[in-house]
C-alpha cells in the first residue's frame, strides 16, 4: 500500500526542518501545492502526526477595512493548520476530506499570528465525521517564530469526513 499523503508531507517536513532554510522551503512548498493557501504565506513552525503550529504575518494584502487581518485570511490559516495536523495524523488505511469549515472571531487580529492544532484520529471502520479545531493567537515574545501565547483572536473548526480507503 502506498504511503498516505499526510505521511509523505510529514516525511518531507522531517527532512527539511533542520537544514538551513528548510522550514521556509517546506512552507513555500505547501503554498505551491495549495495555491490559495499560499496567498497568506503560512510559515510552518512545527509539524508531527496530529499536530501543527503555523505562523502568518499581517501585511497590507491580508487587511480589511478595519486595518486588521481579514476574516477569510484567518479562516485560511486555521484551515491549513487543522488540515496539516489531520493529514499527518491519518493512518494509511484512512482517507479524509473537509466537508465543513466555521470560525469564531474573538478579537481583531494584528501583527504576527500563530495557529495551533492537535488532534487524534478515532478508530475508523466506516465513514464518519470528525471535528478538528485550530486556535489562532497573537504571537508573543521577540523570537522570529513567536510563541503564539498571546490573546486568542479566532478559533477555526474543520469538519472532516473520514472513511476507510477503498480498494
Amino acid at each position: 500500500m502506498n504511503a498516505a499523503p499526510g505521511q509523505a508531507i510529514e516525511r518531507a517536513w522531517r527532512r527539511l526542518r533542520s537544514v538551513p532554510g528548510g522550514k521556509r522551503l517546506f512552507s513555500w512548498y505547501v503554498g505551491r501545492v495549495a495555491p490559495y493557501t499560499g496567498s497568506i504565506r503560512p510559515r510552518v513552525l512545527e509539524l508531527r502526526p496530529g499536530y501543527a503550529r503555523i505562523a502568518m504575518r499581517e501585511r497590507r494584502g491580508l487587511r480589511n477595512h478595519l486595518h486588521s487581518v481579514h476574516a477569510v485570511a484567518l479562516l485560511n490559516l486555521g484551515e491549513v493548520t487543522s488540515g496539516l495536523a489531520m493529514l499527518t495524523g491519518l493512518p494509511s488505511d484512512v482517507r479524509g476530506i473537509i466537508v465543513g469549515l466555521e470560525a469564531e472571531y474573538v478579537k481583531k487580529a494584528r501583527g504576527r499570528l500563530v495557529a495551533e492544532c492537535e488532534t487524534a484520529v478515532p478508530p475508523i471502520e466506516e465513514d464518519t465525521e470528525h471535528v478538528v479545531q485550530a486556535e489562532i493567537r497573537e504571537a508573543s515574545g521577540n523570537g522570529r517564530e513567536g510563541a503564539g501565547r498571546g490573546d486568542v483572536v479566532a478559533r477555526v473548526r474543520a469538519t472532516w469526513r473520514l472513511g476507510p480507503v477503498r480498494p
Side-chain angles (χ1 to χ4, degrees):
M1 179 178 285
N2 292 335
Q7 292 169 341
I9 291 167
E10 205 256 332
R11 199 170 36 251
W13 169 253
R14 277 195 321 260
R15 266 191 235 126
L16 291 171
R17 70 179 176 207
S18 58
V19 300
K23 287 182 180 181
R24 181 177 300 225
L25 180 60
F26 181 83
S27 298
W28 174 84
Y29 174 73
V30 168
R32 292 289 294 176
V33 170
Y36 187 75
T37 296
S39 69
I40 65 167
R41 298 180 193 154
R43 175 63 73 84
V44 180
L45 304 175
E46 278 185 72
L47 185 63
R48 61 181 181 270
Y51 179 82
R53 192 165 64 93
I54 300 177
M56 176 181 80
R57 281 194 185 280
E58 174 189 2
R59 63 181 200 282
R60 186 180 186 285
L62 298 179
R63 288 190 197 115
N64 58 26
H65 65 289
L66 302 172
H67 306 288
S68 58
V69 177
H70 195 282
V72 176
L74 292 170
L75 186 70
N76 195 339
L77 176 60
E79 188 272 338
V80 69
T81 305
S82 64
L84 283 175
M86 189 69 195
L87 286 172
T88 59
L90 287 179
S92 60
D93 61 345
V94 175
R95 62 186 171 83
I97 188 169
I98 289 180
V99 295
L101 200 55
E102 62 183 90
E104 171 191 4
Y105 301 103
V106 179
K107 69 176 269 191
K108 288 182 183 177
R110 293 194 169 104
R112 188 167 173 84
L113 305 170
V114 178
E116 186 173 34
C117 178
E118 187 163 17
T119 188
V121 178
I124 303 296
E125 295 179 19
E126 61 185 14
D127 287 357
T128 188
E129 290 192 354
H130 179 65
V131 176
V132 179
Q133 179 172 287
E135 195 166 75
I136 304 171
R137 296 177 174 269
E138 296 171 331
S140 61
N142 296 331
R144 284 185 63 192
E145 294 187 352
R149 291 292 164 213
D151 291 344
V152 172
V153 297
R155 292 180 188 90
V156 174
R157 285 173 291 288
T159 302
W160 284 76
R161 180 163 298 129
L162 304 175
V165 171
R166 298 204 174 33

